[in-house]
Amino acid sequence: MAKLVVHQEKISDLQELLKICPFGAMEEKGGKIEINAACKMCQLCVKKGPKGAVEYVADEVQAIDKSQWQGVAVYVDHVAGVIHPVTYELLGKAKELAAKINQPVYAVFMGKSIAAGSHELLHYGADKVYVYDDPALEYFKIEAYTAVFENFIDKVKPAAILVGATTVGRQLAPRTAARFRTGLTADCTVLDMRENTDLVQIRPAFGGNIMAQILTPNTRPQMATVRYKVMQAPKRQAEETGEIVSCAIEPEKLQCRVEVLSVVPKEKEKTIDSAEVLVVAGRGVKKAEDLAMVQELADLLGGQVASTRPIVEAGWLDAKHQVGLSGRTVRPKLVITCGVSGAVQFVAGMNHSDVIISINKDPKATIFQVANYGLVGDIYEIVPKMIEKIKAAKGVSA
Ligand SMILES: Cc1cc2nc3c(=O)[nH]c(=O)nc-3n(C[C@H](O)[C@H](O)[C@H](O)COP(=O)(O)OP(=O)(O)OC[C@H]3O[C@@H](n4cnc5c(N)ncnc54)[C@H](O)[C@@H]3O)c2cc1C
């Protein structure tokens, strides 16, 4: 690990040096400066302190042979063999990334009785689908699934691996990354590939105020998770391409300390991420009761109500309705925002929607930068008029 070394003999004024650290990570103990666990390695003390007083000792980086790691792999997310659509979105992205470096696309599929379903992946551009079909993999159990993932990586040595940021993916990806002591970037919104096979992992950071570009230049595989609906799924090709590779792993590696006693399916909920039409309430909605107007518009359009974070924080809707960085990512055919300013954290969750209509009384509201149609005005005048017009068009009495 990189570290800071303090050369006490080069410090004439302890207090001056202590003041430099914005994190309070420098302490004076018995007339000496010590660095505590609050240190963020920002190196301000190195740059601004007395010359040579604090030295940054970098990690010894072992160069890896990147040519040994080839291809872009996708983890096939599924429940009881039913493939999660994020998998197809990631296959589309993997194909794009792999084409830049002229390397293949792989899918790794683990579960029980999944062999037949694995062919579907060949319609979405996978060159090879590695299938681990084993009764011990019937349910997602982290120990067994990580062991299979490890086996796949050891065998195939992919340069990069994409995993859906689902409940399963969010557990499996970090555990696997830790096993290979490699980097993992969660919730990437953009991915790119450099000629030298370094995956550029881009995601909002510092509360959405910057887009960080993260690289894993010294280790392989490079790992990234991506939320559902962030990438566009490719069209299903009529013809299969590529091949299925059946794999097996030693039974003792699949042993787990978790025993699944029963599985109780949850009732299927209608969630905003599956809606084709969303009407979003923002802080322009003044009272909880006024959500009825938003709901009526959503109902008439066969859609659902969603909201910005302040509406959830006010307790008017539950968190499942929140669109954005700390909410859900949506990609409906139509989204109508009502009294939403267009903060980056909100826009990051909906800017890939097909058509965006925004109503805001402030003509300078940032939401108009992403809107396809902008209506400048009061939602309390415009929304009732929209409701009236839709009812008239549908022949519904007011
Ligand atoms: C780390 C972090 C994560 C975050 N994650 C999210 C997230 O996931 N989702 C999210 O939404 N926010 C998130 N936020 C908060 C975000 O920064 C904004 O504060 C929030 O999106 C603002 O919501 P709003 O547009 O409803 O309210 P405001 O910004 O207050 O905007 C209200 C808008 O309504 C307009 N208006 C007012 N009255 C009317 C009217 N009668 N008719 C028409 N227009 C009217 C105003 O002109 C204004 O533009 C996050 C913030 C941080 C720091």
Side-chain angles (χ1 to χ4, degrees), residues 113-136:
S113 309
I114 53 169
S118 61
H119 279 269
E120 187 58 16
L121 299 155
L122 296 175
H123 291 275
Y124 288 88
D127 294 302
K128 280 188 183 178
V129 180
Y130 291 86
V131 178
Y132 291 79
D133 198 337
D134 193 301

Side-chain angles (χ1 to χ4, degrees), residues 77-145:
D77 201 297
H78 72 103
V79 175
V82 179
I83 298 173
H84 192 293
V86 71
T87 308
Y88 302 122
E89 296 172 359
L90 295 185
L91 276 173
K93 185 40 86 175
K95 187 110 189 118
E96 216 181 288
L97 296 170
K100 291 192 171 185
I101 48 175
N102 209 10
Q103 290 189 6
V105 172
Y106 305 127
V108 53
F109 196 7
M110 51 192 91
K112 182 191 164 205
S113 309
I114 53 169
S118 61
H119 279 269
E120 187 58 16
L121 299 155
L122 296 175
H123 291 275
Y124 288 88
D127 294 302
K128 280 188 183 178
V129 180
Y130 291 86
V131 178
Y132 291 79
D133 198 337
D134 193 301
L137 297 168
E138 179 172 12
Y139 302 113
F140 170 69
K141 292 192 213 164
I142 188 77
E143 290 156 300
Y145 272 54

Side-chain angles (χ1 to χ4, degrees), residues 195-267:
E195 255 176 50
N196 69 352
T197 73
D198 279 355
L199 181 69
V200 187
Q201 302 148 61
I202 303 172
R203 57 151 297 150
F206 296 111
N209 292 313
I210 63 157
M211 291 300 278
Q213 296 207 1
I214 299 162
L215 296 176
T216 312
N218 302 317
T219 54
R220 289 290 186 269
Q222 308 162 90
M223 296 187 69
T225 66
V226 180
R227 287 195 203 183
Y228 176 38
K229 296 224 169 178
V230 168
M231 305 294 174
Q232 183 107 44
K235 269 206 166 142
R236 185 183 188 277
Q237 297 155 19
E239 295 295 314
E240 285 188 6
T241 53
E243 57 174 309
I244 305 285
V245 183
S246 294
C247 305
I249 175 170
E250 301 91 304
E252 57 276 16
K253 294 224 168 128
L254 298 180
Q255 278 170 9
C256 296
R257 283 165 289 180
V258 175
E259 191 187 341
V260 178
L261 300 177
S262 68
V263 175
V264 184
K266 251 177 44 179
E267 220 175 274

Side-chain angles (χ1 to χ4, degrees), residues 207-208 281-286 307-311 322-328 338-346 359-362 365 377-380:
R283 211 161 20 192
V285 175
K286 299 287 176 264
S307 79
T308 59
R309 188 155 105 173
I311 300 295
Q322 185 186 318
V323 173
L325 208 58
S326 52
R328 293 180 183 231
C338 306
V340 174
S341 60
V344 276
Q345 297 89 354
F346 170 77
I359 312 167
N360 196 307
K361 64 182 182 186
D362 175 4
D378 191 327
I379 51 167
Y380 288 91

